[in-house]
């Protein structure tokens, strides 16, 4: 396939094979608007293709998903306008997770809340940040700003970092939300360092985990069978603290030899229908699936 084809995000190829409850939410997506209107951040580490609100609407129609959470990706720095563009296109069924920095004022945060943003994201993984001191300071600073408006702090990071901030999460007045299975590596097993800490945080009720982006933890495409025990363990720990997401349009943020940050990074071609069909294997009980798809997102994002 050519780069032109790969530049477009995939649409589901597999029909959904179970009853998706009304009000279901995809809790992790991104919108990449027209680059002339929504330019990328100069300090980005990769360059994705376009991902429009119309394409996302088609995705969710196929998946029978009503609600969506749009997360500002690292390629925009602290400019959340492309996410807001996607949220406005979706209307009342959309919420957002913003990236903020010290230039964003409290008044701007209040305006963002009115627009439907409900959390801030700290992306340590894409930036390759592994220093626990950096993680702790950034989490502490984010919590300080989120507390007044009841937003959560979302983190894309590793199990090692989760262990390093565990005490801070337990003491936080606002929830932590860990992206993509907490960054675990499926090949390392349930006893891998940090997974017990993630389980403990979920049990405590202080943290949510997105069972999203399974392909980022597993090499067993297209069904990611090795993710089943992790998903089941997290759900068993506390089914009220698990949410689901596609990670559409499935950006490839890896820093590959020979690929400059300004070169097009083709999207991962993921079949989100097949991905959603894994959920009944992870959560056999329909009531638990309703918590994951409907009730937990409604609580966390204020639908």
């Amino acid at each position: 396939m050519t780069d032109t084809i790969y530049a477009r995000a995939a649409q589901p190829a597999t029909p959904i094979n179970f009853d998706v409850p009304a009000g279901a939410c995809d809790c992790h997506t991104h919108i990449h608007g027209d680059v002339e209107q929504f330019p990328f951040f100069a300090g980005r580490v990769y360059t994705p293709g376009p991902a429009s609100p119309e394409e996302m609407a088609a995705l969710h129609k196929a998946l029978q998903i009503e609600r969506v959470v749009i997360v500002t990706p690292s390629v925009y720095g602290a400019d959340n306008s492309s996410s807001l563009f996607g949220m406005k296109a979706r209307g009342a069924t959309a919420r957002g997770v913003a990236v903020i920095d010290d230039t964003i004022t409290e008044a701007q945060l209040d305006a963002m809340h009115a627009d439907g943003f409900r959390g801030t994201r700290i992306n340590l993984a894409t930036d390759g940040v592994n220093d626990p001191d950096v993680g702790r300071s950034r989490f502490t600073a984010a919590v300080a700003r989120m507390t007044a408006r009841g937003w959560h702090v979302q983190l894309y990071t590793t199990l090692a970092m989760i262990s390093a901030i565990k005490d801070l999460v337990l003491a936080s007045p606002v929830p932590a939300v860990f992206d993509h299975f907490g960054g675990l590596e499926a090949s390392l097993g349930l006893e891998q360092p940090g997974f017990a800490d993630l389980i403990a945080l979920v049990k405590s009720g202080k943290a949510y985990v997105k069972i999203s982006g399974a392909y980022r933890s597993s090499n067993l495409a297209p069904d990611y069978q090795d993710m089943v025990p992790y998903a089941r363990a997290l759900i068993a720990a506390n089914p009220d603290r698990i949410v689901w997401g596609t990670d559409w349009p499935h950006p490839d943020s890896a820093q590959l030899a020979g690929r400059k940050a300004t070169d097009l990074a083709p999207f991962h071609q993921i079949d989100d229908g097949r991905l959603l069909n894994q959920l009944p294997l992870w959560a056999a009980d329909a009531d638990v699936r309703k918590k994951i798809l409907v009730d937990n997102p409604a609580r966390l994002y204020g639908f």
Side-chain angles (χ1 to χ4, degrees):
M1 302 176 80
T2 69
D3 278 354
T4 301
I5 296 173
Y6 272 94
R8 308 306 304 191
Q11 288 289 332
T14 303
I16 302 307
N17 61 14
F18 69 100
D19 291 330
V20 177
C25 184
D26 179 351
C27 293
H28 198 100
T29 66
H30 308 293
I31 288 290
H32 308 145
D34 181 86
V35 72
E36 296 297 322
Q37 186 177 359
F38 304 104
F40 295 128
F41 166 55
R44 67 191 182 279
V45 300
Y46 73 102
T47 298
S52 70
E54 293 77 15
E55 290 173 288
M56 183 183 285
L59 166 86
H60 289 138
K61 182 177 181 181
L63 297 180
Q64 304 168 40
I65 296 281
E66 178 183 350
R67 296 168 174 166
V68 66
V69 177
I70 299 172
V71 179
T72 298
S74 65
V75 294
Y76 292 114
D79 181 354
N80 298 283
S81 56
S82 187
S83 293
L84 181 58
F85 166 66
M87 293 160 63
K88 286 184 174 179
R90 193 66 166 248
T93 60
R95 295 290 184 270
V97 176
V99 174
I100 66 171
D101 61 17
D102 292 340
T103 69
I104 294 180
T105 67
E106 294 301 304
Q108 286 174 306
L109 287 178
D110 290 338
M112 291 166 70
H113 185 90
D115 285 331
F117 287 93
R118 291 296 181 267
T120 186
R121 189 191 199 198
I122 301 172
N123 186 335
L124 302 175
T126 300
D127 293 339
V129 175
N130 297 306
D131 183 343
D133 290 337
V134 174
R136 289 177 66 86
S137 65
R138 288 185 65 182
F139 182 75
T140 299
V143 168
R145 297 199 71 184
M146 295 302 101
T147 299
R149 53 190 46 82
W151 286 16
H152 62 270
V153 178
Q154 178 178 323
L155 298 104
Y156 182 23
T157 189
T158 62
L159 290 179
M161 187 66 77
I162 291 171
S163 293
I165 66 171
K166 180 182 176 183
D167 61 315
L168 299 179
V169 175
L170 288 171
S172 172
V174 298
V177 181
F178 294 113
D179 288 352
H180 309 327
F181 287 88
L184 66 85
E185 294 184 44
S187 62
L188 299 181
L190 289 167
E191 302 304 316
Q192 65 187 281
F195 188 64
D197 288 330
L198 181 62
I199 289 288
L201 288 171
V202 172
K203 280 185 177 179
S204 76
K206 302 293 288 189
Y208 289 75
V209 174
K210 295 186 181 185
I211 51 174
S212 58
Y215 58 94
R216 300 191 181 279
S217 295
S218 167
N219 293 316
L220 297 183
D223 292 323
Y224 316 106
Q225 299 95 323
D226 52 351
M227 298 303 293
V228 173
Y230 298 102
R232 289 177 176 173
L234 288 164
I235 293 165
N238 190 344
D240 294 323
R241 292 296 181 269
I242 307 298
V243 295
W244 179 90
T246 55
D247 191 31
W248 188 91
H250 309 291
D252 180 4
S253 59
Q255 297 175 53
L256 304 180
R259 187 168 78 189
K260 300 189 294 292
T262 53
D263 291 341
L264 176 68
F267 292 124
H268 295 290
Q269 296 297 296
I270 305 295
D271 180 353
D272 286 304
R274 193 158 182 161
L275 195 64
L276 181 53
N277 284 343
Q278 304 311 304
L279 186 59
L281 302 179
W282 299 348
D285 186 277
D287 290 338
V288 172
R289 293 198 297 273
K290 182 175 179 292
K291 287 185 176 187
I292 294 169
L293 291 172
V294 183
D295 302 337
N296 299 344
R299 179 193 321 113
L300 182 60
Y301 301 104
F303 283 110

